[in-house]
Amino acid sequence: MGNGNGNVDFQSKPVKEAQNKTIGFHVPTDVPIPYRKANVYHDQLQNLFQSARNSDAVEVTEYEKGFTDESGKSCEVKFGSYCLWRQEHKEKMKDHIVKKLKDQLYVARAYYPSIAKLPAPDKLSTELKQNIQEFERFLSATTTDADLPQQIEKKLRRMEAVIARAKSFTKDCTNVDKKLRQLVDMTADEANFHMKQSAFLYQLAVQTMPKNLHCLSMRLTVEYFRSPPPDMEQSLAEKYTNPALHHYVIFSNNVLASSVVINSTILHSKDSRNQVFHVLTDEKNYFALKLWFFSNTYKEATIQVLNIEDLNLIGHDKATPLPLSLANEFRISVPNVDKPSRTRSGTKYISVFSHSHYLLPKIFWSLKKVVVLDDDIVVQRDLSALWSLDMEGKVNGAVQVCAVRLGQLKSYLGENVLNGNSCAWMSGLNIVDLARWREQDLSETFRKVVQEYLSAGEELFQAATVRASLLAFQDLVHPLDDTWMLSGLGHDYDLDIQTIKKAAVLHFNGNMKPWIDLGIPKYRGYWKKFLNRDNQFLSDCNVNP
């Protein structure tokens, strides 16, 4: 899930299976965002990718996406994941003639030093030099064909004729070859840099808060302090803690995302009077969310906004308060050994609980059961049947991904794997039995496993929580039918439309969230229809996902 931390996915050392499959385990790694001056940007970008190449534990993932680009080559993700997006947003080339100008200029520059040294062709040397200077002048003032002078086609033909004459003279080919190699090397270096830069900017775009959503949060916060809404906490306190009602929990720092989750859930519910939504957020977005849910109507449902940083919850070191953390996302590549090429179907995107989720029994001490919703989902069906579900003594009702089993990840998870046949499971839609959770003391189990990984030298707390979350629910997951939730709308272009319509919940897991410009266009409509477009703050901040 895009969490605003600027994350890049890396693949750890492969794990060997009995069936000779290789599994790459991808864990998001925090990368500092270089809001710096342009003269240091290049160095930061080079350091970012150099650190990835130098590590003996990770490598940047590349996998085939299933079709070809303009050149006919297979579309692979290199240094990032924008290949499919580029195809979806393909535009007509606006600099076709400009590129021809550059190509001819390169060739003319390659021949000019040799022509200038010849004693006879003084006129040709002068003409070649004039054409080079003219082309340089054109290219210094334009980047698109529309900016070129009307007689540019005539000048192109004249340059072609001059180059043809230059080629007809006897000359030292070594000099021409040397000059062309220099130009090719410079072009290759420039192309490599821009490829890395575009991938870095893609990661920056998908992992940071869009400007208009940041504006929305700030405007709501300012308005909250200008005209605070009435305090309803005391009058609603009984509903907040009543275990007989249907309680939904959402971890979110995104006003629009959490609003869509609640709105879509309520609109498809048969009775909204017994629904209570608890939105857990951070201090920065707390007041914006408070005002938003006060000023917008959601039928008869009750909505509580909590600042997780104000709940005096202590972190793993028993000293530092835990900040808000959204669901952890990672991806697992399982290449098909029967085919030489790697296919997209071998890549599984998994999301699991973060450390914030393991505070649920403590935060909601009076509740026995809750439904946990990620903020990148859309509800399409009434969820009330989840409350009468027989979980058969399990703790977490979730959709499972049995293409990935814990035994396949044993070298990554260590000796803590008790049942290698246990399937991985998905967050997004989870029915959680808090009473059984407390009996099993799963929060303490999670804390101990995290501490074990950190003590063993695990550098990143987030990576340790991903592993611990997979292990904490071993044999404690009740499998939900696959029709309850369909994942992949944030990365998979090939989902079946009929399957999408039948799913109770759509999960936009992946980089391409529906509230950013890079979201997959054909899926965004399922999310956008639950927005409150009449809100004045959306107009003021030009929010139009």
Side-chain angles (χ1 to χ4, degrees):
M1 204 164 20
N3 55 11
N5 293 331
N7 296 332
V8 180
D9 290 339
F10 293 108
Q11 176 181 7
S12 71
K13 293 181 178 179
V15 181
K16 296 296 182 181
E17 250 194 291
Q19 292 85 357
N20 196 30
K21 288 184 179 179
T22 302
I23 305 209
F25 193 91
H26 306 249
V27 179
T29 306
D30 288 337
V31 177
I33 301 172
Y35 292 113
R36 308 244 183 228
K37 294 182 179 179
N39 61 337
V40 298
Y41 174 75
H42 180 272
D43 292 336
Q44 290 178 328
L45 189 60
Q46 293 289 2
N47 292 338
L48 173 65
F49 287 94
Q50 189 63 39
S51 63
R53 289 195 297 269
N54 290 343
S55 172
D56 61 356
V58 297
E59 62 180 1
V60 179
T61 304
E62 301 175 12
Y63 58 92
E64 189 178 331
K65 294 302 258 181
F67 57 85
T68 59
D69 61 13
E70 298 92 334
S71 65
K73 297 180 180 179
S74 60
C75 190
E76 292 183 342
V77 177
K78 293 185 177 180
F79 303 105
S81 302
Y82 64 93
C83 190
L84 286 178
W85 177 88
R86 182 185 62 190
Q87 292 287 340
E88 187 79 18
H89 293 77
K90 184 177 178 181
E91 296 181 359
K92 184 178 179 181
M93 185 181 291
K94 299 178 181 179
D95 58 350
H96 176 68
I97 300 177
V98 171
K99 291 182 184 298
K100 288 181 66 175
L101 287 175
K102 290 181 178 180
D103 291 341
Q104 287 194 355
L105 182 59
Y106 285 156
V107 176
R109 283 172 173 172
Y111 278 96
Y112 178 74
S114 298
I115 296 299
K117 291 180 181 179
L118 296 177
D122 292 335
K123 183 178 179 181
L124 176 60
S125 176
T126 302
E127 193 173 352
L128 189 58
K129 182 179 181 180
Q130 289 174 347
N131 277 274
I132 290 174
Q133 291 174 341
E134 189 174 34
F135 273 40
E136 288 175 340
R137 187 171 66 254
F138 290 154
L139 293 172
S140 67
T142 183
T143 56
T144 63
D145 296 348
D147 299 328
L148 292 169
Q150 293 182 352
Q151 67 274 25
I152 192 63
E153 290 289 347
K154 181 179 179 181
K155 295 183 182 297
L156 277 169
R157 291 194 296 271
R158 188 167 63 189
M159 174 66 96
E160 289 176 358
V162 172
I163 292 174
R165 287 165 55 198
K167 290 180 179 180
S168 67
F169 280 89
T170 303
K171 64 192 81 65
D172 185 1
C173 291
T174 305
N175 291 334
V176 177
D177 177 71
K178 183 178 179 180
K179 187 65 176 177
L180 282 173
R181 286 183 182 276
Q182 289 176 348
L183 293 171
V184 169
D185 289 343
M186 289 172 58
T187 305
D189 289 343
E190 183 179 1
N192 191 46
F193 169 75
H194 286 298
M195 181 170 59
K196 294 178 181 180
Q197 184 186 56
S198 63
F200 178 85
L201 294 176
Y202 169 84
Q203 292 290 343
L204 191 65
V206 301
Q207 299 292 353
T208 56
M209 182 72 72
K211 181 173 66 175
N212 51 5
L213 296 189
H214 179 73
C215 165
L216 176 63
S217 181
M218 293 300 99
R219 288 293 302 273
L220 288 167
T221 301
V222 170
E223 186 63 26
Y224 177 93
F225 287 104
R226 179 182 297 165
S227 180
D231 189 355
M232 309 285 291
E233 297 300 310
Q234 292 296 326
S235 60
L236 296 173
E238 184 179 350
K239 279 194 170 185
Y240 293 158
T241 57
N242 185 354
L245 301 178
H246 294 176
H247 293 265
Y248 296 86
V249 178
I250 303 168
F251 293 87
S252 180
N253 55 13
N254 186 320
V255 174
L256 282 190
S258 54
S259 177
V260 166
V261 174
I262 295 176
N263 198 27
S264 63
T265 304
I266 291 172
L267 289 177
H268 289 97
S269 64
K270 296 177 181 178
D271 184 7
S272 63
R273 289 175 298 178
N274 65 346
Q275 292 182 325
V276 181
F277 292 86
H278 307 271
V279 182
L280 287 160
T281 189
D282 54 16
E283 187 172 14
K284 182 172 63 175
N285 295 282
Y286 171 70
F287 300 104
L289 284 162
K290 286 278 286 186
L291 182 62
W292 178 270
F293 288 114
F294 172 78
S295 58
N296 289 276
T297 57
Y298 296 89
K299 290 190 175 180
E300 298 178 85
T302 302
I303 301 174
Q304 179 188 30
V305 180
L306 292 171
N307 175 10
I308 199 170
E309 298 174 27
D310 196 36
L311 298 177
N312 297 319
L313 302 170
I314 305 301
H316 64 284
D317 59 2
K318 298 185 179 181
T320 307
L322 279 172
L324 174 72
S325 178
L326 307 182
N328 287 315
E329 273 197 357
F330 59 93
R331 51 187 181 159
I332 298 177
S333 295
V334 188
N336 190 335
V337 296
D338 298 327
K339 296 180 181 179
S341 61
R342 290 166 293 179
T343 63
R344 182 171 53 80
S345 60
T347 300
K348 304 297 181 184
Y349 286 72
I350 312 293
S351 57
V352 295
F353 288 168
S354 71
H355 63 260
S356 293
H357 292 73
Y358 290 88
L359 303 171
L360 287 173
K362 187 173 182 179
I363 297 173
F364 303 105
W365 52 270
S366 65
L367 304 182
K368 297 179 180 180
K369 187 178 288 188
V370 296
V371 169
V372 182
L373 304 173
D374 286 353
D375 70 350
D376 58 350
I377 68 153
V378 167
V379 177
Q380 299 190 124
R381 199 167 77 204
D382 181 34
L383 301 181
S384 59
L386 289 172
W387 301 96
S388 58
L389 181 69
D390 181 8
M391 297 181 64
E392 301 175 340
K394 306 297 185 181
V395 177
N396 180 9
V399 174
Q400 293 187 317
V401 185
C402 287
V404 179
R405 298 182 184 270
L406 298 190
Q408 296 173 312
L409 305 173
K410 194 167 184 179
S411 67
Y412 183 83
L413 299 175
E415 298 302 320
N416 293 307
V417 177
L418 302 178
N419 183 358
N421 289 323
S422 294
C423 299
W425 54 275
M426 290 288 292
S427 70
L429 171 69
N430 302 87
I431 175 73
V432 176
D433 188 334
L434 291 180
R436 286 284 293 162
W437 185 314
R438 296 184 186 98
E439 291 175 11
Q440 297 284 338
D441 201 7
L442 287 185
S443 295
E444 180 61 17
T445 300
F446 173 81
R447 189 195 68 80
K448 287 181 178 178
V449 177
V450 169
Q451 197 63 46
E452 179 183 331
Y453 282 125
L454 294 176
S455 301
E458 177 62 66
E459 295 181 2
L460 296 174
F461 177 64
Q462 185 181 14
T465 60
V466 169
R467 301 182 185 189
S469 200
L470 283 169
L471 294 169
F473 288 101
Q474 287 187 90
D475 297 325
L476 294 174
V477 176
H478 176 77
L480 297 180
D481 188 88
D482 289 345
T483 58
W484 274 107
M485 185 175 71
L486 177 65
S487 299
L489 281 80
H491 67 84
D492 192 340
Y493 280 72
D494 299 322
L495 294 175
D496 180 67
I497 298 300
Q498 294 304 317
T499 306
I500 292 176
K501 292 179 179 179
K502 292 178 182 178
V505 171
L506 302 180
H507 192 192
F508 289 82
N509 63 317
N511 282 336
M512 292 176 276
K513 302 299 183 187
W515 54 82
I516 64 175
D517 291 338
L518 295 178
I520 300 176
K522 64 180 180 180
Y523 303 147
R524 293 176 73 187
Y526 296 102
W527 186 86
K528 291 166 65 174
K529 64 183 179 181
F530 296 108
L531 285 176
N532 182 2
R533 296 181 176 275
D534 297 330
N535 190 281
Q536 183 60 40
F537 290 106
L538 298 186
S539 301
D540 293 344
C541 290
N542 195 28
V543 177
N544 185 28

